Amino acid sequence: MSVIKDNLAHSGKKKLNLGQLLKPHSKQIVFAILAVIGEGVANLLQPWPLKLILDNVLRSRPMEGRLNDLILANVGSDKLALVKFAAIASLVIAAVSALCSYAEKYLTTSVGQWVMHDLRRMLYSHIQRLSLSFHDQMQSGDLISRVTSDIDAIQSFITSGLLGALVNILTLFGMMGVMFYINWKFTLIALSVAPALFLVVYTYTRRIKKAAREVRKKEGEILSVIQEVFSSIRVVKAFAREDYEQKRLEDESLESIEIALRARSLKAKLSPLVEIIVACGTALVLWFGARMVMDDTLSAGSLVLFIVYLGKMYKPMQELSKMTDAYSKADVGYERIREVLETERDVKDLPGARKAPKLKGKVEFDNVSFHYQPDSPILKEVSFTIEPGQVAAIVGPSGSGKSTIIGLIPRFYDPVSGVIKIDDVNARLYKQQSLRQQISFVLQDTLLFHAPIWTNIAYGRPEATREDILRAAELANAHEFIVEMPQGYDTMVGERGVTLSGGQRQRIAIARAIIRDTPLLIMDEPSAGLDAASEKLVFEALDRLMKGKTSIVIAHRLSTIRAAGVIFVVKDGRIVERGSHDELMQSRGVYAELHDLQFNKESGT
Ligand code: ADP
């Protein structure tokens, strides 16, 4: 969180607002508002045909009021004609209400879905392009929830809340308006229960929502217990902790039952309570209303209208209080999304950055210093030059800054001071993508995507032909094991696909690099953890890959180091020694010490 806030502090003024998101859909929103108005009016008109029948057909009251004047002028005062009109009006009102409600729901859902799509696209693209320093400090779970649940909250608010609230407010205030218009004193009596009704509906709906949220949270926890156990089932079995894990799940599950029952009991209390309050209101209305009807100060139809409105009143109230919840969720989600979208990249293309030409592969660090956190310097004034085609090894104790050095070359991070030059030009003057397109990586841990081998090898050059891929696999000593797999090159690998051994993964990584054929090659101990047989195959493949390329390799193993033309020894963020293997051995410094230590280990003495 704080990373985002910090970044926000010095970011530009680019603001995301809801209006901007809704603007492309303004036509649909206008139609939806019309539908909402139609729905509200239909809701209000719904008891009017009944009133008409009661007052003007059964009781022969003179027709008064503008609406009635209109009816009189068009239908006449003939009773049968009025009955017919009332019946048809009932149908028309129901039809208008149904049509408007459908249109409103369809249109708002469609706007909600489109806004969700737009937001998802924007956010995903932005997050993917944010610098590694941002990703280092964010938890991926948190980012995932921003792209999924937070966007969902906004979508559901737009779909159900935004215009839904308008329908409810229109209906609620419309009903009150009509009641006041007919008889304001009686309205005050009828509405005397409204505050109680509102209070009950509001507090209960909130409590129900809160309980529902707890249920969902508990379900999430259960899910993560299950996920954790299933994904580390080997550990669970190895330590014979099945019973413990079983109990953990059962405890969570029991807690979830308790919370769910609490939520249910709240829900079960709400509607009887509402009914009682509405019944109190109805009793008051009947008590006073019937007398007023007898005194002829109120028509029977108006009395029925009051009763119907009173019964209908609690629904919009309930919806409105639900809406406050949807709104607050959407608001939180919106803030969280905005935080990410307004975070700027640390590593940016400079305004005049140009595309890197075809590089020769000279790499030069000129007094480069770097830190991840301001108060802990990692690299201190590192300078070195690697000539085109040269193989350079970086050695040193772990934590000394080797990976940091190689991460600066493709500009995963930019140096804090000093300059990195590629082919004698400051790397910052090149567009990042054009620079990275000319660098290949073989790292310790090769990540495979859930895709066929074909696609995995061609990941860095999707336009590669099948022939290119085959050739790369052969050069990488990978072809033999690939053709022995169940579906050869079509075998799915990666998560939930066929698993490959460490050596096989490395050879796929080498094939990936071969197919890219870039002038610069960066490797992080590509033979770490391999047995002798695999190592031999990997080394053969690496020799073919490195031919004619500038190669920078973090090396632990002597076999890798000896192949290097120049060796840089890094300690505490500085280059403390440099030279060829023989030179460094002769000077008897840090390198010779590391060498002897490892030589003794490897020869078993
Ligand atoms: P080496 O590759 O030599 O083992 P690294 O370059 O990985 O060393 O790390 C050098 C130092 O930088 C270590 O102290 C490590 O904790 C720190 N470091 C590495 N990566 C990050 C990061 N992304 N954020 C913060 N500190 C980091």
Side-chain angles (χ1 to χ4, degrees):
M1 265 312 254
S2 66
V3 192
I4 294 186
K5 288 250 163 71
D6 291 349
N7 284 335
L8 250 184
H10 55 76
S11 73
K13 293 279 169 290
K14 215 178 8 149
K15 287 258 184 278
L16 162 85
N17 65 55
L18 196 60
Q20 227 172 300
L21 284 171
L22 292 175
K23 205 169 163 211
H25 315 288
S26 49
K27 216 178 188 175
Q28 277 171 308
I29 294 175
V30 168
F31 281 112
I33 291 176
L34 289 178
V36 163
I37 295 173
E39 206 182 339
V41 171
N43 270 340
L44 289 182
L45 285 179
Q46 194 238 333
W48 280 90
L50 187 63
K51 178 173 153 56
L52 185 77
I53 298 282
L54 282 173
D55 290 351
N56 309 110
V57 179
L58 303 178
R59 292 281 306 265
S60 309
R61 270 175 74 100
M63 296 184 74
E64 46 189 56
R66 277 210 200 117
L67 195 60
N68 284 346
D69 287 345
L70 208 69
I71 296 171
L72 210 58
N74 287 299
V75 184
S77 55
D78 175 47
K79 286 192 173 172
L80 266 183
L82 279 178
V83 170
K84 204 157 103 192
F85 171 77
I88 292 171
S90 288
L91 282 178
V92 172
I93 290 168
V96 168
S97 167
L99 208 71
C100 288
S101 151
Y102 171 79
E104 185 244 323
K105 293 212 166 63
Y106 179 82
L107 290 168
T108 50
T109 307
S110 133
V111 172
Q113 291 290 337
W114 280 111
V115 168
M116 177 159 88
H117 174 70
D118 292 343
L119 264 177
R120 202 184 270 154
R121 260 181 40 216
M122 263 161 77
L123 198 61
Y124 189 62
S125 131
H126 190 75
I127 291 177
Q128 276 212 70
R129 281 168 177 74
L130 274 171
S131 313
L132 272 186
S133 56
F134 170 85
H135 287 276
D136 285 345
Q137 292 170 62
M138 289 295 292
Q139 286 190 310
S140 49
D142 181 50
L143 283 181
I144 292 173
S145 86
R146 289 179 203 235
V147 187
T148 53
S149 348
D150 288 334
I151 291 184
D152 269 357
I154 295 181
Q155 181 262 344
S156 90
F157 171 66
I158 293 175
T159 304
S160 59
L162 201 59
L163 293 183
L166 201 62
V167 182
N168 291 314
I169 291 173
L170 249 157
T171 314
L172 206 59
F173 286 94
M175 287 194 297
M176 287 191 205
V178 172
M179 285 158 93
F180 273 106
Y181 173 73
I182 294 176
N183 188 325
W184 69 269
K185 275 190 204 151
F186 188 50
T187 304
L188 288 181
I189 296 171
L191 287 185
S192 62
V193 293
L197 190 62
F198 181 75
L199 206 71
V200 166
V201 169
Y202 185 75
T203 47
Y204 266 82
T205 313
R206 297 217 82 172
R207 283 169 65 189
I208 290 171
K209 273 279 154 191
K210 200 166 149 243
R213 238 198 329 259
E214 275 176 46
V215 172
R216 267 211 299 278
K217 195 167 149 231
K218 200 81 235 168
E219 279 164 1
E221 281 167 20
I222 293 180
L223 220 70
S224 53
V225 169
I226 296 176
Q227 192 249 341
E228 199 178 78
V229 169
F230 285 178
S231 61
S232 9
I233 192 78
R234 276 167 191 276
V235 184
V236 175
K237 282 186 181 298
F239 287 88
R241 297 290 293 215
E242 289 95 335
D243 291 342
Y244 165 78
E245 295 297 348
Q246 179 72 22
K247 182 158 177 338
R248 204 151 73 103
L249 178 84
E250 283 176 16
D251 287 349
E252 295 278 359
S253 180
L254 285 176
E255 274 177 48
S256 122
I257 293 184
E258 206 175 295
I259 301 173
L261 284 180
R262 207 165 60 224
R264 191 64 228 169
S265 106
L266 278 171
K267 243 185 226 171
K269 277 185 209 149
L270 177 63
S271 62
L273 265 173
V274 164
E275 272 167 34
I276 289 172
I277 296 173
V278 171
C280 290
T282 315
L284 275 175
V285 167
L286 282 177
W287 175 259
F288 289 100
R291 291 209 242 165
M292 287 166 81
V293 173
M294 284 189 281
D295 291 352
D296 225 13
T297 43
L298 188 77
S299 74
S302 298
L303 181 62
V304 170
L305 188 102
F306 270 66
I307 292 171
V308 173
Y309 276 1
L310 204 61
K312 274 173 159 248
M313 213 163 249
Y314 103 96
K315 194 112 206 230
M317 281 185 190
Q318 194 179 23
E319 296 286 320
L320 276 176
S321 40
K322 263 193 212 159
M323 217 236 17
T324 56
D325 193 69
Y327 172 76
S328 56
K329 257 196 246 160
D331 194 42
V332 172
Y334 181 66
E335 265 314 300
R336 282 164 51 84
I337 290 169
R338 233 184 50 167
E339 274 177 4
V340 177
L341 282 179
E342 289 174 5
T343 304
E344 293 218 2
R345 286 185 248 175
D346 290 345
V347 178
K348 275 193 285 200
D349 281 340
L350 291 176
R354 60 190 160 90
K355 203 167 162 266
K358 175 107 185 86
L359 297 174
K360 288 205 240 1
K362 182 174 174 189
V363 177
E364 187 181 347
F365 272 47
D366 184 6
N367 268 322
V368 171
S369 297
F370 178 78
H371 59 229
Y372 294 101
Q373 257 87 41
D375 40 1
S376 55
I378 304 285
L379 297 183
K380 298 153 201 160
E381 294 170 357
V382 170
S383 296
F384 62 80
T385 307
I386 303 168
E387 298 298 334
Q390 201 172 25
V391 178
I394 302 179
V395 297
S398 94
S400 56
K402 303 183 295 292
S403 310
T404 307
I405 292 181
I406 59 169
L408 292 181
I409 300 169
R411 290 188 68 203
F412 289 153
Y413 304 87
D414 276 334
V416 175
S417 66
V419 181
I420 296 172
K421 289 185 192 158
I422 312 277
D423 283 6
D424 298 318
V425 176
N426 187 343
R428 287 199 196 200
L429 298 177
Y430 292 135
K431 290 201 158 116
Q432 287 169 66
Q433 261 203 325
S434 69
L435 183 65
R436 288 180 196 158
Q437 268 159 2
Q438 303 200 48
I439 305 178
S440 298
F441 296 87
V442 180
L443 302 177
Q444 274 187 27
D445 220 6
T446 298
L447 210 89
L448 298 176
F449 289 91
H450 179 63
I453 297 266
W454 291 115
T455 326
N456 262 296
I457 293 182
Y459 191 71
R461 220 187 98 205
E463 72 282 4
T465 63
R466 296 252 153 162
E467 286 71 40
D468 294 338
I469 297 174
L470 271 174
R471 201 182 63 86
E474 273 166 11
L475 287 174
N477 278 345
H479 181 73
E480 291 77 15
F481 80 79
I482 296 173
V483 288
E484 278 172 18
M485 294 204 309
Q487 276 109 37
Y489 281 84
D490 290 314
T491 312
M492 294 295 272
V493 289
E495 190 161 329
R496 265 174 262 118
V498 172
T499 43
L500 298 182
S501 73
Q504 291 172 334
R505 279 173 182 265
Q506 283 319 70
R507 283 180 271 159
I508 299 272
I510 294 169
R512 266 182 188 170
I514 290 177
I515 214 164
R516 272 165 70 83
D517 192 25
T518 57
L520 262 163
L521 188 61
I522 292 178
M523 293 174 282
D524 188 352
E525 192 50 273
S527 66
L530 301 186
D531 56 55
S534 289
E535 193 180 38
K536 187 171 162 283
L537 289 172
V538 168
F539 272 120
E540 262 178 36
L542 280 175
D543 281 344
R544 290 181 201 138
L545 166 64
M546 282 155 54
K547 201 164 285 165
K549 300 189 169 70
T550 308
S551 310
I552 303 164
V553 52
I554 295 184
H556 301 288
R557 297 203 156 188
L558 291 178
S559 37
T560 323
I561 301 171
R562 280 197 183 128
V566 58
I567 300 163
F568 300 108
V569 184
V570 187
K571 200 177 168 199
D572 295 332
R574 290 181 198 280
I575 295 195
V576 289
E577 284 168 28
R578 64 187 77 204
S580 69
H581 173 74
D582 295 339
E583 286 163 8
L584 290 176
M585 284 307 285
Q586 266 168 19
S587 65
R588 301 302 311 160
V590 180
Y591 178 79
E593 210 175 295
L594 280 171
H595 175 272
D596 293 347
L597 208 69
Q598 202 176 32
F599 186 74
N600 288 340
K601 221 190 311 172
E602 286 187 7
S603 58
T605 50

